[in-house]
Amino acid sequence: MVTTEELKKVRIPKAKVLMNKKDRLAPGHRLCAGCTAGTIARCATLVTDIDDVCIFHATGCLEVATTVYPFTAWRVPWFHNAFENVAATASGAEAAYKVMVKKGKLKKVPDIIAFAGDGGTYDIGLQSLSGALERGHDFVYICYTNGAYMNTGIQRSGGTPMYAATTTSPAGKVIPGKIQWRKDLVAIAAAHKVQYVATASPAAHRDMMTKVRRALDVDGPAFLLIDMPCPRGWRFPEELSVQIAQQAIDSCYFPIYEVYDGKEYVLNPKSKAIANKPERKLPIEEYMKGQGRFRHLFRPEKRDDLIARFQEEVDKEWDYLLKLVNMSK
Amino acid sequence: MTKTKVTKGKRIGMTGDEAVANAAAVINPDVVAAYPITPQTIIVEHFSDFVHDGEVDTEFVCVESEHSAMSACVGASATGARVFTASASQGVALMYEILFIAAASRLPIVMSVANRALAGPINIHGELTDQTMCRDTGWISMFSETAQEAYDNTFLSFKIAEHPDVSLPAMFGLDGFIITHALEGVFPLDRKFSQDFLPERDMKHPTIPGNPVSSGLLALPDYYMEVKYQQELAMTAARKVIPEAFKEFGEKTGRYYDQVESYQMEDAETALVTMGALAGTTKYVVDKLRKEGEKVGMLKVKTYRPFPTDDLAKALKDVDAIGVIDRDLTFGSPGAALYTDIKTSMYDYKDRPQVFGFIAGIGGRDVLVEDYEYIYKQVLKNKGAEKVVPVEWIGLRK
Ligand SMILES: Cc1ncc(C[n+]2csc(CCOP(=O)(O)OP(=O)(O)O)c2C)c(N)n1
Ligand code: SF4
Ligand SMILES: [Mg+2]
């Protein structure tokens, strides 16, 4: 059993070492240009041993775009079952690997990563995830959130930001996009008292990779929520993906932090810097105005009321997070 | 023909559910992922005892739903493991989506179905619709008339499912309460038999570390059809593998099975055809009618998928009329599941019987000896009809 103190000390190899490793996700896949799902998948799998990792995948953009028969972009064992059940699928595989270890057919249970989008996690896959976390299977669940069902044409999910326009929460004449706030998936995962839960961002890639490695080193389930800017669904130029991810951190809409043992909240450098110097916090308007999904808040007339309302929610969540962090000290 | 031979070993009293759990424990699968539902619960409970008493090496994944049960079975089976589960009714309906994926992924998962009527109205009693509704999923599908047959079907299902030419999941049913909960003498088998009858599963492309294979890919119109056709080929292969499996099992245990069991059919002019536990009473009624001088026999369809068209045609060659008794429903259809299949398969044969359909025992309603006698009389009465006689619901309150 890895202790929480040991987990905090887990580091990843230097960039030079990682760069010389063979990508587990090969180029030539069909993700959109600028899609950070590829960035996340490549980074996450790079911190695994190519011969000691198995990937399980929920239906969604990353799955569909990387495995169009008869091609696959994956250089590691990879299995897709359905949309809402990747946690259960990985549970079954993990149980099977355990038996193989018992019977001497396998040295150890490999690193298991389950990838799913926000739709496959916040919504339809929540039960499967909760069951697997509760049962304590040794695997890492990575939810990459692009805040909508992108694969099926940008429909809202429980992770879609308030006021974002999606095809099922359009910016209408009366209703300005999605009217609900996103659900707090990190708190839900942490409430299962698993040893490691964290958020991460492609704008802090080494931090993200370190978190994946920590999650994998846990003897049991671990959960990661990773922000995944989607140029197609969020309507921004594809070269700005990482910049948008950075703004999500800077505005505190997507702070990056860890939760150890379901109770110890730790901010990671980029978010910690803002906690230390609150004046560095980016107004949410700056984050929103660069994305077409919020365009109706700026044109034809600027909706300061709605932007203020959004800011209020961001502030509330951020303040609450800071409270949790301070309580953990 | 079913030959009965005295089997070695002591006969032990057990319910159908216990029989299945005991058989599964003898087989000692790598992974069992299951969720409880009446009348299957005893299987999971009994098997949990084996796990917690250390009598099996199985990892038991006690999941939070049947959808997850089947999903976990798929994940486990994808690694090359031997995987078992059990369900019924609402549970099978909840896993329906994943049943198709299990079959298309060619994963030889075995599931026992404690056949139960589907809601609504909610009901917990015996009916086969929860399994007949799976006919399009791509699973091998068998039924059991007795606890002994359910016990034996556990072994046979693995044998057929894991055969390299087949590599398909297999389900077998046992009628809720009538078989699942009734105590019966069962001749058990042992680990030695199991290891000999069921050699280790040998999967071609397992999802295991170091084997960079992708499975479960998106197949678009350019390839999807070929994948589906291969599933049909696997079913065709199963038609050959099934009788071989039955033969080997018979030679090793003295218990012989057929895809279509014939009872008192030698000179039969009329036959009653059914599946599962109804076959037991049908045999009793056939004996009774024979004593009264009636030339009647019974056919029990044991393997529902793949459907034993040839065997049925052979068995029905010299029969004038049959009554098909379905304990299952499909609405707005020309008739219930077995009836429509039999009619369709017989249509092109020159020597074919007239087929009359009956629906009985729905939601666990008792089917009495008088009901079978009535069905027989109706078949005789309708014989020679020149247009389709509507399917009749037996024992219905009007
Ligand atoms: C049971 C079921 N319902 C609906 C779908 C259709 N579907 C496939 S992917 C998807 C959305 C995926 O969204 P998300 O999980 O956020 O992944 P993304 O495509 O955004 O990466 C939907 C609705 C499905 N495949 N299965
Ligand atoms: S739609 Fe978005 S998530 Fe999907 S591939 Fe394109 S950029 Fe990536
Ligand atoms: Mg999404």
Side-chain angles (χ1 to χ4, degrees):
Chain A
M1 274 295 277
V2 60
T3 67
T4 300
E5 287 320 305
E6 285 165 349
L7 209 54
K8 288 179 185 166
K9 292 191 190 116
V10 169
R11 301 282 182 271
I12 53 166
K14 289 200 169 74
K16 215 163 66 186
V17 178
L18 290 171
M19 271 164 56
N20 288 327
K21 281 191 173 190
K22 191 170 172 181
D23 267 328
R24 282 81 171 110
L25 181 70
H29 54 69
R30 303 179 193 198
L31 290 162
C32 303
C35 176
T36 48
T39 318
I40 292 166
R42 279 176 60 212
C43 287
T45 48
L46 216 49
V47 297
T48 63
D49 173 349
I50 200 161
D51 287 321
D52 191 34
V53 62
C54 293
I55 310 287
F56 293 85
H57 223 297
T59 313
C61 267
L62 182 56
E63 169 264 331
V64 163
T66 56
T67 58
V68 184
Y69 189 85
F71 302 107
T72 178
W74 293 89
R75 292 185 175 128
V76 286
W78 185 95
F79 189 86
H80 163 248
N81 187 352
F83 180 25
E84 68 279 52
N85 63 354
V86 69
T89 308
S91 300
E94 185 254 11
Y97 296 139
K98 265 196 208 149
V99 176
M100 288 179 203
V101 172
K102 234 192 288 186
K103 293 188 174 169
K105 292 181 192 169
L106 207 62
K107 270 208 217 86
K108 61 177 270 289
V109 173
D111 284 346
I112 302 171
I113 301 178
F115 278 111
D118 50 304
T121 310
Y122 282 80
D123 294 349
I124 200 165
L126 189 59
Q127 171 182 323
S128 169
L129 169 64
S130 174
L133 295 181
E134 182 269 332
R135 291 189 300 274
H137 297 280
D138 187 4
F139 80 120
V140 175
Y141 190 107
I142 297 182
C143 170
Y144 66 92
T145 175
N146 48 30
Y149 303 165
M150 293 309 174
N151 179 49
T152 39
I154 324 173
Q155 293 90 15
R156 95 190 269 290
S157 81
T160 303
M162 188 163 73
Y163 303 140
T166 71
T167 51
T168 51
S169 64
K173 287 187 186 123
V174 180
I175 305 172
K178 184 190 171 190
I179 50 176
Q180 300 84 1
W181 192 252
R182 66 179 169 194
K183 72 173 89 155
D184 188 350
L185 195 58
V186 175
I188 293 170
H192 290 76
K193 307 290 178 231
V194 296
Q195 197 179 7
Y196 191 69
V197 173
T199 66
S201 164
H205 67 277
R206 275 192 71 81
D207 172 82
M208 171 169 75
M209 290 159 92
T210 306
K211 285 167 175 169
V212 175
R213 195 56 251 171
R214 283 180 189 168
L216 286 166
D217 283 351
V218 170
D219 297 304
F223 176 83
L224 298 178
L225 180 69
I226 305 184
D227 191 28
M228 198 235 96
C230 158
R232 177 78 189 82
W234 298 9
R235 312 281 184 204
F236 64 79
E238 61 222 28
E239 67 277 14
L240 296 183
S241 300
V242 174
Q243 193 174 309
I244 299 263
Q246 180 65 49
Q247 287 177 335
I249 300 174
D250 292 346
S251 64
C252 301
Y253 180 65
F254 204 97
I256 48 175
Y257 59 101
E258 297 169 298
V259 190
Y260 289 93
D261 300 311
K263 55 175 200 272
E264 191 187 345
Y265 284 69
V266 179
L267 284 179
N268 302 121
K270 286 194 171 185
S271 286
K272 200 170 166 189
I274 299 164
N276 291 340
K277 291 205 162 84
E279 65 277 13
R280 282 202 192 166
K281 189 171 163 197
L282 191 73
I284 198 63
E285 187 177 332
E286 295 303 310
Y287 174 65
M288 296 173 116
K289 75 177 181 200
Q291 300 175 44
R293 59 178 172 164
F294 297 115
R295 184 173 23 230
H296 54 291
L297 303 187
F298 298 90
R299 258 176 281 160
E301 63 192 76
K302 189 145 173 258
R303 292 296 302 270
D304 285 320
D305 55 333
L306 300 182
I307 296 169
R309 185 64 207 95
F310 198 109
Q311 184 68 61
E312 206 181 296
E313 281 304 320
V314 173
D315 294 346
K316 256 201 285 186
E317 275 202 345
W318 174 242
D319 289 346
Y320 184 64
L321 179 62
L322 292 180
K323 254 189 218 152
L324 292 171
V325 170
N326 287 329
M327 259 164 40
S328 306
K329 280 176 187 159
Chain B
M1 271 298 288
T2 302
K3 299 160 205 117
T4 32
K5 208 166 91 181
V6 180
T7 317
K8 274 183 252 121
K10 242 177 83 191
R11 200 170 181 163
I12 298 174
M14 49 181 106
T15 64
D17 272 357
E18 284 167 356
V20 171
N22 289 339
V26 172
I27 292 165
N28 196 12
D30 297 312
V31 176
V32 170
Y35 191 83
I37 179 168
T38 306
Q40 157 266 34
T41 31
I42 305 169
I43 302 177
V44 214
E45 292 167 359
H46 210 59
F47 195 83
S48 304
D49 288 340
F50 290 124
V51 174
H52 282 228
D53 291 341
E55 288 180 35
V56 288
D57 304 306
T58 312
E59 274 292 319
F60 177 48
V61 190
C62 197
V63 283
E64 83 298 333
S65 78
E66 286 89 351
H67 195 283
S68 286
M70 190 43 63
S71 302
C73 285
V74 165
S77 190
T79 71
R82 181 168 283 163
V83 180
F84 177 75
T85 188
S87 192
S89 182
Q90 310 307 115
V92 180
L94 191 55
M95 38 171 90
Y96 197 58
E97 178 198 22
I98 310 304
L99 297 181
F100 286 81
I101 296 169
S105 309
R106 308 295 294 277
L107 300 173
I109 299 157
V110 170
M111 168 159 71
S112 67
V113 183
N115 302 121
R116 156 181 159 176
L118 285 144
I122 192 158
N123 173 303
I124 55 168
H125 291 277
E127 195 187 299
L128 310 188
T129 312
D130 58 357
Q131 190 169 337
T132 54
M133 73 172 188
C134 298
R135 61 188 173 186
D136 300 332
T137 58
W139 283 55
I140 305 278
S141 183
M142 301 196 284
F143 286 98
S144 326
E145 177 191 337
T146 60
Q148 179 75 67
E149 194 174 357
Y151 186 89
D152 294 346
N153 276 344
T154 318
F155 293 87
L156 287 166
S157 296
F158 276 108
K159 182 80 174 180
I160 298 159
E162 291 180 2
H163 191 288
D165 295 345
V166 177
S167 204
L168 286 177
M171 61 176 77
F172 64 92
L174 55 159
D175 294 52
F177 290 102
I178 295 164
I179 307 296
T180 59
H181 285 59
L183 199 66
E184 210 186 285
V186 172
F187 290 106
L189 297 162
D190 58 15
R191 281 258 164 97
K192 209 171 133 277
F193 164 81
S194 178
Q195 281 159 2
D196 168 52
F197 186 65
L198 300 173
E200 271 203 34
R201 186 182 160 205
D202 185 18
M203 191 189 186
K204 264 200 203 125
H205 303 296
T207 304
I208 48 170
N211 187 36
V213 169
S214 296
S215 315
L217 281 67
L218 171 79
L220 295 170
D222 54 349
Y223 279 105
Y224 182 86
M225 211 164 153
E226 282 70 24
V227 174
K228 296 325 259 185
Y229 185 65
Q230 286 180 49
Q231 286 180 246
E232 186 54 34
L233 291 182
M235 274 287 173
T236 307
R239 289 178 202 274
K240 202 168 142 271
V241 168
I242 290 169
E244 286 167 11
F246 288 179
K247 184 158 169 275
E248 186 188 333
F249 188 82
E251 283 162 4
K252 288 183 168 151
T253 66
R255 292 194 293 277
Y256 289 89
Y257 292 102
D258 289 306
Q259 299 188 70
V260 179
E261 181 187 332
S262 298
Y263 186 78
Q264 299 266 41
M265 285 298 292
E266 281 76 18
D267 59 345
E269 290 168 4
T270 309
L272 299 178
V273 189
T274 193
M275 300 193 290
L278 288 182
T281 328
T282 312
K283 284 176 184 167
Y284 172 83
V285 174
V286 163
D287 286 343
K288 189 161 177 275
L289 291 169
R290 279 273 173 184
K291 274 194 202 124
E292 294 163 12
E294 302 294 323
K295 288 197 168 174
V296 60
M298 184 217 68
L299 294 176
K300 177 181 91 180
V301 176
K302 175 184 171 75
T303 53
Y304 174 60
R305 284 293 179 273
F307 196 71
T309 308
D310 295 344
D311 294 35
L312 263 172
K314 231 180 274 163
L316 290 172
K317 199 161 56 62
D318 301 318
V319 176
D320 300 333
I322 63 172
V324 180
I325 312 172
D326 271 283
R327 195 205 279 275
D328 58 82
L329 294 172
T330 160
F331 300 101
S333 154
L338 184 59
Y339 168 85
T340 46
D341 275 353
I342 291 182
K343 256 193 147 168
T344 308
S345 2
M346 293 301 106
Y347 187 79
D348 287 330
Y349 287 93
K350 220 171 96 244
D351 301 317
R352 59 164 196 255
Q354 251 189 309
V355 184
F356 303 103
F358 302 89
I359 287 169
I362 296 303
R365 177 152 307 176
D366 279 337
V367 191
L368 308 172
V369 171
E370 302 89 83
D371 294 325
Y372 292 88
E373 288 172 336
Y374 171 79
I375 289 170
Y376 176 63
K377 276 189 203 133
Q378 286 298 94
V379 173
L380 291 187
K381 192 184 110 194
N382 291 327
K383 202 152 91 176
E386 286 180 0
K387 59 177 187 193
V388 176
V389 176
V391 170
E392 194 174 342
W393 290 53
I394 300 301
L396 188 71
R397 272 212 190 89
K398 287 196 178 133

